Amino acid sequence: MAYHASSNERPLRSRHSSELDGPSSPSSPGSVTPPDTASPSSSTFLTSSVSSLLGGLIRRFSGEPSLSTPNPAPPLPHARTFQPDGHGNGNGRDGVYTPPHLLHTHRTASPMRPPPLEPLQLVGFSDETGQDARLLTPPIAEEIRIMVPARLGIVDEWRLVYSLEQDGASLATLYEKCARYQGLRVGFVLCVKDCEEGLFGAYLSDHPHPAPKYFGTGECFLWRVSIHTPLPPPPSSIDDTTTNSNLRTTTISAATTTHNNPVSSSSSSSLSKQQPPGPGTRSSSTPQQQQQQQHPENQPESKQSMRFKAFPYSGINEYYMLCEPHFLSLGAGDGRYGLWLDDSLERGVSSTSQTFGNEPLSDEGEKFGVLGVEVWVIGA
């Protein structure tokens, strides 16, 4: 029993002690030779991999070009800023781009300009229609011509479609006569005259006709004409060479007169009854008035100036035109119409509208009486 224990017990050796003692002799009984895992080829591969990795890192951080590239590309230059000094050709490649009208200052305007527009001709009045009954005149038409679209502005002949003086006061007749131009690219000019001789109207992009909803385009606009009589010159502008302090000057309102007609019947009678002032009396007339009394043929005519106002589309809404059998209207907003006419063409309404941002067109107020209506077609 003791011999069996002694034969099975073997001395234990640690790995550390075996490595220190070196490899055991093959003649030693019971010794085991460990396999040799490290070879010369594997150590060479590991050394070359580490050296190539370290070399790549050194070349990357040092910025040196790779030895494998024979001709390395040069670095890109920085962008340059060119100043418009005028020495370049201004094409944008060799310097800053310069527009031709700034680069070549010696350029002149082209002689090929469009010819001036021909004067307007208003066609359609009958011989029985007097001058006082004609609403639209060439000067007013020229002002409206500036506001109409360019395709219609070159038209030099406007034709009368409807006239209250010639065709009677009926909105249905106006619709019927304008319906002949349905489908054509034409425009219409509406003229209205109120009881105070005021003239106003509108430009219509489509022919007026009964419709269940609003129609038209943003080319529509309202207009009005005001006639102004110039005031007489102030007393300070009268050329008076006398030094008489007893003279009295009075500024009076001027009326439309000519050198052949007197100012008025009352003023002419009063002037004819005036007697020259006697000694010791003081005249109440100015030297200019006395000279006009002695030479009435030298009195200048009082000229009237015309002021034209147009109210184009404002862009707030699209209430251009609304026509029904009982009325015709243009512009709307907040329950107000820019221009409204009844079916008998006797009464009208004009208020400030959002569509055109206009002022009331009539001097009578929002409601006015109608004396005349005309509709003209452009481009037919």
Side-chain angles (χ1 to χ4, degrees), residues 336-372:
R336 298 182 178 182
Y337 293 103
L339 180 59
W340 183 93
L341 299 176
D342 63 353
D343 56 349
S344 62
L345 300 181
E346 294 180 354
R347 302 295 301 176
V349 177
S350 178
S351 305
T352 301
S353 66
Q354 294 181 351
T355 309
F356 302 106
N358 62 287
E359 60 188 31
L361 302 180
S362 176
D363 292 334
E364 296 184 28
E366 292 190 358
K367 298 181 180 181
F368 57 88
V370 179
L371 290 182

Side-chain angles (χ1 to χ4, degrees), residues 15 24 39 45-46 78 100 121-122 125 136 181 192 195 231 234 241 262 289 301 303 306 329 370:
R15 182 180 298 179
S24 59
S39 63
F45 173 77
L46 180 61
H78 294 284
Q121 297 180 5
L122 304 179
F125 286 118
L136 189 62
Y181 303 94
V192 181
C195 293
L231 296 176
T241 58
Q289 294 176 351
E301 297 182 0
K303 300 181 180 180
M306 179 183 64
S329 67
V370 179

Side-chain angles (χ1 to χ4, degrees), residues 11-25 30-35:
L12 298 177
R13 299 181 61 184
S14 64
R15 182 180 298 179
H16 181 71
S17 60
S18 64
E19 291 178 355
L20 294 177
D21 296 341
S24 59
S25 171
S31 64
V32 179
T33 305

Side-chain angles (χ1 to χ4, degrees), residues 259-299:
H259 63 276
N260 295 327
N261 298 328
V263 176
S264 62
S265 58
S266 59
S267 61
S268 61
S269 60
S270 61
L271 292 177
S272 61
K273 294 180 182 179
Q274 284 183 355
Q275 300 295 333
T281 60
R282 184 169 56 190
S283 174
S284 60
S285 60
T286 64
Q288 186 179 13
Q289 294 176 351
Q290 294 177 3
Q291 183 179 3
Q292 292 179 358
Q293 295 172 10
Q294 296 175 3
H295 304 282
E297 67 278 0
N298 296 332
Q299 296 182 10

Side-chain angles (χ1 to χ4, degrees), residues 5 23 32 39 42 53 58 66 78 100 111 113 127 159 170-171 186-187 204 236 255 268 271 277 296 319 346 380:
V32 179
S39 63
S42 61
L53 178 61
I58 293 174
S66 177
H78 294 284
R113 295 184 178 181
D127 297 337
R159 293 188 174 275
S170 173
L171 185 60
V186 296
L204 315 178
S236 59
S268 61
L271 292 177
Y319 303 152
E346 294 180 354

